[in-house]
């Protein structure tokens, strides 16, 4: 009985989907709501302070992403009135880079 390897394109697509699911699972721990991920809006703050659970999740995500140094990583930040200075996306980006 002969064994035939699957084409890399087929394996890569399945693997990419698995990694994306892992990332989603990790990030949903702290980014399922704004109040879980961000603070610092009281007293005139900008509301872009990453809370500890969010920082921890980004560290876990960085560990997964380090396996694929050439992979593209997209960060989408929903614009809300709590993010009045539009700084949350950058805060996430900077924390992810720092964790890498």
């Amino acid at each position: 009985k002969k064994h035939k390897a699957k084409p890399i394109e087929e394996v890569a697509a399945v693997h990419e989907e698995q990694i994306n699911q892992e990332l989603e699972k990790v990030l949903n721990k702290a980014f399922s709501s704004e109040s879980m991920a961000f603070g610092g809006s009281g007293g005139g703050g900008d509301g872009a302070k990453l809370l500890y659970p969010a920082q921890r999740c980004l560290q876990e995500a960085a560990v997964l992403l380090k396996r694929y140094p050439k992979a593209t990583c997209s960060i989408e930040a929903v614009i809300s009135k709590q993010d009045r200075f539009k700084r949350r996306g950058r805060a996430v980006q900077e924390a992810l880079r720092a964790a890498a």
Side-chain angles (χ1 to χ4, degrees):
K1 187 175 180 180
K2 283 187 169 183
H3 295 294
K4 187 174 178 184
K6 293 183 179 183
I8 189 68
E9 295 82 12
E10 184 181 331
V11 175
V14 170
H15 188 66
E16 179 181 3
E17 182 61 32
Q18 289 172 341
I19 292 299
N20 284 335
Q21 287 174 359
E22 262 187 90
L23 283 167
E24 184 176 358
K25 183 179 169 185
V26 164
L27 294 171
N28 276 336
K29 291 179 197 174
F31 287 92
S32 58
S33 74
E34 288 182 276
S35 62
M36 285 180 65
F38 298 99
S41 59
D46 64 6
K49 179 182 185 233
L50 274 173
L51 299 177
Y52 180 77
Q55 291 174 359
R56 185 74 187 120
C57 286
L58 289 172
Q59 289 169 347
E60 289 181 47
V63 169
L64 289 171
L65 292 169
K66 278 184 181 183
R67 297 184 206 165
Y68 310 97
K70 294 184 181 186
T72 301
C73 177
S74 298
I75 297 170
E76 294 179 15
V78 177
I79 296 173
S80 70
K81 67 179 184 175
Q82 287 79 18
D83 186 15
R84 39 188 154 200
F85 300 109
K86 316 291 184 265
R87 294 186 181 153
R88 289 183 174 177
R90 178 152 319 265
V92 169
Q93 180 183 34
E94 289 171 359
L96 189 57
R97 281 190 176 145

